[in-house]
PDB file of all heavy atoms in Angstrom:
ATOM      1  N   GLY C  79     -12.177 -81.073   1.583  1.00 95.00           N
ATOM      2  CA  GLY C  79     -12.436 -80.228   0.433  1.00 95.00           C
ATOM      3  C   GLY C  79     -11.560 -78.992   0.421  1.00 95.00           C
ATOM      4  O   GLY C  79     -10.418 -79.013   0.886  1.00 95.00           O
ATOM      5  N   PRO C  89     -25.103 -68.061 -12.042  1.00 95.00           N
ATOM      6  CA  PRO C  89     -26.379 -67.469 -11.618  1.00 95.00           C
ATOM      7  C   PRO C  89     -26.497 -67.196 -10.117  1.00 95.00           C
ATOM      8  O   PRO C  89     -27.615 -66.998  -9.634  1.00 95.00           O
ATOM      9  CB  PRO C  89     -27.377 -68.564 -12.028  1.00 95.00           C
ATOM     10  CG  PRO C  89     -26.620 -69.844 -11.789  1.00 95.00           C
ATOM     11  CD  PRO C  89     -25.190 -69.533 -12.171  1.00 95.00           C
ATOM     12  N   SER C 114     -30.124 -56.501  17.995  1.00 93.00           N
ATOM     13  CA  SER C 114     -28.927 -56.938  17.275  1.00 93.00           C
ATOM     14  C   SER C 114     -29.210 -56.882  15.789  1.00 93.00           C
ATOM     15  O   SER C 114     -30.334 -56.623  15.358  1.00 93.00           O
ATOM     16  CB  SER C 114     -28.529 -58.355  17.689  1.00 93.00           C
ATOM     17  OG  SER C 114     -29.597 -59.258  17.426  1.00 93.00           O
ATOM     18  N   GLY C 117     -29.356 -59.252   9.859  1.00 97.00           N
ATOM     19  CA  GLY C 117     -29.252 -59.184   8.410  1.00 97.00           C
ATOM     20  C   GLY C 117     -29.470 -57.769   7.902  1.00 97.00           C
ATOM     21  O   GLY C 117     -29.610 -56.814   8.677  1.00 97.00           O
ATOM     22  N   VAL C 129     -30.032 -60.241   2.839  1.00 98.00           N
ATOM     23  CA  VAL C 129     -29.028 -61.174   3.353  1.00 98.00           C
ATOM     24  C   VAL C 129     -29.186 -61.235   4.861  1.00 98.00           C
ATOM     25  O   VAL C 129     -29.357 -60.208   5.523  1.00 98.00           O
ATOM     26  CB  VAL C 129     -27.586 -60.748   2.970  1.00 98.00           C
ATOM     27  CG1 VAL C 129     -27.398 -60.775   1.467  1.00 98.00           C
ATOM     28  CG2 VAL C 129     -27.247 -59.376   3.522  1.00 98.00           C
ATOM     29  N   ILE C 143     -38.973 -60.141   3.420  1.00 96.00           N
ATOM     30  CA  ILE C 143     -38.743 -61.374   4.175  1.00 96.00           C
ATOM     31  C   ILE C 143     -39.864 -62.368   3.863  1.00 96.00           C
ATOM     32  O   ILE C 143     -41.050 -62.016   3.912  1.00 96.00           O
ATOM     33  CB  ILE C 143     -38.694 -61.086   5.685  1.00 96.00           C
ATOM     34  CG1 ILE C 143     -37.495 -60.193   6.010  1.00 96.00           C
ATOM     35  CG2 ILE C 143     -38.626 -62.370   6.491  1.00 96.00           C
ATOM     36  CD1 ILE C 143     -37.473 -59.679   7.433  1.00 96.00           C
ATOM     37  N   TYR C 150     -38.845 -65.134  12.669  1.00 96.00           N
ATOM     38  CA  TYR C 150     -37.443 -65.103  13.109  1.00 96.00           C
ATOM     39  C   TYR C 150     -36.684 -63.850  12.673  1.00 96.00           C
ATOM     40  O   TYR C 150     -35.684 -63.487  13.286  1.00 96.00           O
ATOM     41  CB  TYR C 150     -36.709 -66.336  12.564  1.00 96.00           C
ATOM     42  CG  TYR C 150     -37.490 -67.607  12.734  1.00 96.00           C
ATOM     43  CD1 TYR C 150     -38.089 -68.232  11.634  1.00 96.00           C
ATOM     44  CD2 TYR C 150     -37.656 -68.194  13.980  1.00 96.00           C
ATOM     45  CE1 TYR C 150     -38.818 -69.395  11.779  1.00 96.00           C
ATOM     46  CE2 TYR C 150     -38.382 -69.370  14.135  1.00 96.00           C
ATOM     47  CZ  TYR C 150     -38.968 -69.957  13.032  1.00 96.00           C
ATOM     48  OH  TYR C 150     -39.693 -71.112  13.175  1.00 96.00           O
ATOM     49  N   ASP C 189     -65.976 -39.931 -27.643  1.00 48.00           N
ATOM     50  CA  ASP C 189     -66.777 -40.777 -28.524  1.00 48.00           C
ATOM     51  C   ASP C 189     -68.253 -40.692 -28.164  1.00 48.00           C
ATOM     52  O   ASP C 189     -69.128 -40.620 -29.027  1.00 48.00           O
ATOM     53  CB  ASP C 189     -66.297 -42.220 -28.437  1.00 48.00           C
ATOM     54  CG  ASP C 189     -64.908 -42.393 -29.034  1.00 48.00           C
ATOM     55  OD1 ASP C 189     -64.484 -41.501 -29.784  1.00 48.00           O
ATOM     56  OD2 ASP C 189     -64.248 -43.428 -28.729  1.00 48.00           O
TER      57      ASP C 189
END
Side-chain angles (χ1 to χ4, degrees):
S114 59
V129 296
I143 296 171
Y150 315 107
D189 292 343

